[in-house]
Structures are given as C-alpha cells and as structure tokens.
C-alpha cells in the first residue's frame, strides 16, 4: 500500500500528505527513485509529503537501483514510460532473475519503447520514453498482479483511454482490488469486467491527504504466533473493511480452530482453547505471501496442511517453495512439494528440532515466518535476520516483546 500511495501521489497534480507509511527498505528505495526522477518527497518516519507532477517525469535521464523491491521496479517501469528521455532500472543479483517481460510487452502495446538489456525478460530494463499512446493492451495475470497494477496506475496519463485485457486467470486478485480502490481515492474510477478487462479514462489524480492502513502481511506473523501458542493477538488498523487481501489469513486460522473477532479497526486472534489446530487444504492464490507463515503453522497442527495455487512463490525474493521445503525438512518435518503446492505434515517431535539453524536465503519472509516456529522450538536460530529490513525492520524488536526472541 505504501508504494502504491507513493506512485499515485507522485502522479497527482500537487502535494499529497501520506501518513502511517511503512518504514522499510522497499519504501526507502521507492522514495529515493522518485527523487532521482525529480519528484520531491519530503519528510521522514511515517509521514511524507509528495509533490506530484501531474503525470510528468521531470528528469530526462535516470539510472535507478531498485534493489530487491518488486513493487518499485514494476510500478516505476510503467511510470517512467510517461516521461521523455532514457531511463534504466536495475537491482540486485536476484532481481536480475525475476521476470518482468509480461509488463514490458503490455507497455509496448501502449506505445512504449522498452526492453531488457540482456534480452532475457529480466532486469536491467531500459526505457526510451516519449509518453504513452494508450489504447488496448493485453497483460498476462499468471505471474504477478503487480504488472496489472502498474499499468492501471499510469493509464490516466496516456494520450488515449486505456483498456487492459487479462486473458488468463489473474493471480493475487485482492491486490488488483486494492489498486483500483486506491486509484478511486485519488479521483480516478476504473471500469471493469471482473478481472478480465479494465478501462481507464484519461484524466489526472487529485492530490491530498491519504492515510495508509497497517500492514496485514506483517499482522499475519502475530496471528500465527497466537495460533500456535494458545495466545491472544490484537492487531490494530487492520479491520473488517481493510482493502488488503492478506487479512484472509485470519479466516484460514479460524478454519483451523482459532477464535477470530473482527472489529472496524482491529482484529483479534486467539489460539484454540483446547490447543488443537486442525489441518486442511487451502488455496492461497489470493495471498501467496502468507504461504510461508501458514506452512510454519502447519508444523503444529494435528493433521497435514496442503497449500495450493502458489506457483509464483518461485519467482519471489528466492524460490520460496524450494526454500520452504528445505528448511521445514531441516526441522524434521515430512514435506511433499509440487510445482505450485506444498503439503506440510505435523512435527513428530518438537524437541528433536531444538537448536536448528534456519537459512533465510536473503528473504525477509523466510526469516519472519520461521521466527514463529521459535515460539515452540527451543533455541531456534534465524540466520541473516537483518533481511527483515526489506519490509519490517523492527520485527525482531517487536518479537522480543512477546517472548519470541531471547537475543
């Protein structure tokens, strides 16, 4: 939500005051890139003032290092296509392995001159921009919802109205809904036919104040902690009307036996009163970033948990499906793995997993999800804990307050 809000505010005409922003590396990368493009973003902490340029990109040349931020490189690839000049977008070694060609193909249909430097469909990306013509384009929805979100957000500033067609099943639908709702908050309404087509009229965003919800993905770790410990977690600013699809993890935990109470502006999750978590089969296509958390919860259920329809975990910060299976087995769990699914059997012995060191593969969500297991497994070690800087720098400080980390 933070990087969407930054993109929309940068495209709006005038100053927007964004509050309750995520403090994390992904946000820093995005703000730094906007400044490199000549778009002022002032302030610190959770409040930032963005001086939007009405769809203009002031800089005519920029080399942007977007590290491992998928939202930043995808949103900005579409945004700089509105400019006039040469822009190069790059990132870490892992970013150079993450596909972006589906987005570039759609931008090309809308009139952009875009290409990957190596011709392999992955960054670095070079864009020779002269604005977007608009019209019709096809965007594949099977790899990432961020391609569609990026195109939707820049579409009002094309010279002609934009119609986007999605010929295959759209991944992570709630993230598309989030984008459309946030666009409406900034003054642009999208006409849509479900998830098959989206029509965006020409126009411009209205600058103004915008408050960002708390991060439902981050809340998930605390909900999971309550689930496996029999504890009680209250997370504020993620309520029943949240626009974030990841809030549905609480509903999955309820199916497994937790007691969940939704309020207007908070969620309460209590572990099952009898301490028994049920297993089951769950489709997490609409919230794949919660799959690692649920897989760790599965270690402490009474029956196996199968998580389906999560192929795109293989093109995240690491191949998350392979990484998950490797580290769960390191703990002694029986794991079955397919191209787009994983089944996790309950641990037979928590004691035998004591002292295990978990590899994180530089992936913030591997670190945070396996920290949940540390509530039940003695002396669990998380290697490279600093990788949580990407989205939740204070995670281990917060975890310490609930007894999850000894030091």
């Amino acid at each position: 939500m933070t990087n969407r809000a930054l993109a929309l505010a940068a495209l709006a005409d005038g100053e927007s005051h964004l509050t309750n922003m995520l403090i994390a590396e992904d946000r820093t990368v995005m703000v730094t890139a906007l400044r490199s493009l000549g778009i002022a973003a002032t302030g610190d902490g959770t409040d930032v003032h963005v001086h939007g340029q009405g769809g203009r990109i002031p800089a005519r040349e920029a080399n942007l290092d977007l590290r491992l931020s998928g939202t930043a490189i995808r949103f900005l690839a579409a945004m700089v296509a509105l400019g006039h000049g040469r822009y190069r977008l790059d990132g870490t070694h892992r970013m150079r392995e993450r596909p972006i060609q589906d987005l570039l193909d759609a931008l090309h249909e809308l009139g952009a001159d875009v290409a990957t430097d190596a011709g392999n469909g992955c960054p670095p990306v070079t864009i020779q921009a002269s604005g977007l013509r608009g019209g019709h384009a096809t965007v594949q929805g099977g790899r990432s919802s961020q391609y569609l979100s990026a195109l939707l957000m820049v579409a009002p500033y094309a010279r002609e109205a934009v119609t986007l067609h999605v010929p295959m099943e759209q991944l992570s639908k709630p993230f598309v809904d989030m984008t459309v709702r946030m666009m409406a908050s900034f003054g642009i309404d999208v006409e849509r036919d479900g998830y098959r087509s989206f029509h965006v009229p020409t126009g411009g965003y209205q600058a103004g104040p915008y408050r960002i919800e708390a991060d439902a993905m981050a809340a998930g770790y605390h909900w999971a902690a309550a689930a496996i410990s029999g504890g009680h977690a209250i997370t504020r600013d993620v309520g029943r009307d949240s626009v974030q699809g990841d809030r549905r993890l609480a509903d999955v935990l309820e199916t497994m036996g937790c007691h969940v109470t939704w309020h207007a502006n908070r969620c309460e999750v209590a572990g099952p009163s009898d301490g028994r978590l049920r297993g089951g089969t769950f489709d997490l296509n609409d919230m794949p970033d919660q799959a690692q958390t649920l897989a760790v919860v599965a270690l402490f259920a009474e029956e196996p948990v199968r998580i389906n329809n999560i192929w795109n975990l293989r093109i995240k910060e690491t191949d998350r499906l392979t990484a998950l299976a490797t580290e769960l087995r390191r703990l002694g769990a029986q794991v079955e793995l397919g191209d787009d699914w994983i089944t996790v059997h309950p641990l037979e012995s928590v004691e035998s997993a004591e002292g295990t060191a978990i590899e994180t593969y530089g992936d913030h969500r591997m670190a945070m999800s396996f920290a949940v297991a540390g509530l039940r497994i003695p002396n669990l070690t998380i290697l490279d804990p600093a990788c949580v800087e990407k989205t939740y720098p204070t995670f281990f400080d917060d975890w310490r307050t609930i007894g999850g980390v000894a030091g």
Side-chain angles (χ1 to χ4, degrees):
M1 287 195 74
T2 289
N3 275 0
R4 281 169 174 77
L6 284 167
L8 293 168
L11 290 167
D13 188 5
E15 182 179 316
S16 294
H17 182 202
L18 307 180
T19 57
N20 201 39
M21 298 183 70
L22 186 71
I23 299 176
E25 181 183 277
D26 273 10
R27 168 267 188 90
T28 300
V29 164
M30 187 74 170
V31 168
T32 300
L34 292 177
R35 290 170 178 163
S36 297
L37 294 171
I39 300 169
T42 58
D44 206 351
T46 60
D47 288 16
V48 170
H49 293 264
V50 180
H51 303 267
Q53 299 296 307
R56 295 186 305 107
I57 307 297
R60 290 185 170 267
E61 185 173 0
N63 288 296
L64 305 178
D65 179 3
L66 303 171
R67 306 294 299 154
L68 194 50
S69 177
T71 52
I73 199 165
R74 292 157 184 166
F75 295 171
L76 289 168
M79 186 185 297
V80 298
L82 298 171
H84 290 79
R86 180 185 180 277
Y87 309 95
R88 187 173 184 270
L89 289 68
D90 200 0
T92 63
H93 174 75
R94 176 59 181 171
M95 181 63 84
R96 291 184 171 192
E97 298 174 338
R98 299 181 70 181
I100 197 171
Q101 191 63 49
D102 290 346
L103 172 60
L104 304 188
D105 289 344
L107 285 170
H108 180 73
E109 289 186 67
L110 297 175
D113 181 359
V114 293
T116 59
D117 290 8
N120 63 352
C122 298
V125 174
T126 298
I127 301 173
Q128 298 283 356
S130 57
L132 281 177
R133 180 189 65 246
H136 289 252
T138 297
V139 56
Q140 301 300 329
R143 289 181 184 267
S144 173
S145 64
Q146 291 170 12
Y147 304 152
L148 178 56
S149 287
L151 295 162
L152 286 168
M153 286 191 289
V154 303
Y157 295 97
R159 291 187 289 273
E160 305 170 11
V162 171
T163 301
L164 300 171
H165 304 279
V166 185
M168 61 186 299
E169 185 71 13
Q170 176 62 59
L171 179 75
S172 302
K173 293 183 178 79
F175 287 95
V176 177
D177 298 334
M178 180 197 303
T179 300
V180 170
R181 288 178 64 174
M182 292 180 71
M183 289 172 65
S185 295
F186 281 83
I188 292 292
D189 292 321
V190 177
E191 301 172 23
R192 58 190 292 184
D193 176 13
Y195 298 93
R196 290 302 183 187
S197 69
F198 299 80
H199 180 78
V200 186
T202 57
Y205 295 117
Q206 300 164 6
Y210 188 83
R211 188 177 190 279
I212 296 158
E213 292 181 10
D215 184 3
M217 291 184 197
Y221 305 115
H222 299 277
W223 298 338
I228 71 163
S229 69
H232 185 199
I234 302 174
T235 52
R236 305 187 189 281
D237 204 22
V238 179
R240 69 169 70 95
D241 296 326
S242 170
V243 302
Q244 299 173 81
D246 285 74
R247 54 159 278 180
R248 194 173 70 82
L249 178 64
D251 300 331
V252 170
L253 294 175
E254 185 172 38
T255 300
M256 294 178 70
C258 292
H259 180 72
V260 177
T261 306
W262 288 102
H263 304 271
N265 201 39
R266 73 182 190 276
C267 179
E268 299 183 39
V269 177
S273 57
D274 60 2
R276 302 172 65 180
L277 280 170
R278 295 185 289 270
T281 298
F282 304 98
D283 186 325
L284 262 58
N285 181 264
D286 60 351
M287 52 172 184
D289 287 327
Q290 297 288 21
Q292 289 148 294
T293 306
L294 182 58
V296 169
V297 169
L299 294 171
F300 309 101
E302 293 198 326
E303 303 99 16
V305 171
R306 176 167 169 141
I307 307 171
N308 287 334
N309 211 3
I310 49 173
W311 174 86
N312 85 321
L313 289 190
R314 296 192 179 278
I315 57 171
K316 295 281 191 175
E317 284 81 346
T318 187
D319 178 346
R320 286 179 174 169
L321 274 175
T322 298
L324 257 179
T326 300
E327 301 310 309
L328 291 168
R329 288 167 179 154
R330 195 186 303 276
L331 291 171
Q334 178 186 343
V335 179
E336 291 137 32
L337 185 64
D339 287 342
D340 68 346
W341 59 270
I342 187 169
T343 296
V344 182
H345 294 257
L347 275 179
E348 293 185 3
S349 169
V350 170
E351 290 74 20
S352 64
E354 180 174 357
T356 302
I358 297 296
E359 294 283 356
T360 55
Y361 308 87
D363 183 346
H364 55 133
R365 301 209 183 280
M366 286 292 292
M368 293 185 283
S369 58
F370 276 90
V372 173
L375 293 172
R376 295 279 300 273
I377 298 173
N379 301 315
L380 189 71
T381 299
I382 305 295
L383 302 176
D384 187 23
C387 64
V388 300
E389 294 281 338
K390 187 174 188 297
T391 56
Y392 193 169
T394 62
F395 174 80
F396 284 108
D397 293 333
D398 295 345
W399 212 242
R400 202 171 279 115
T401 68
I402 63 170
V405 173

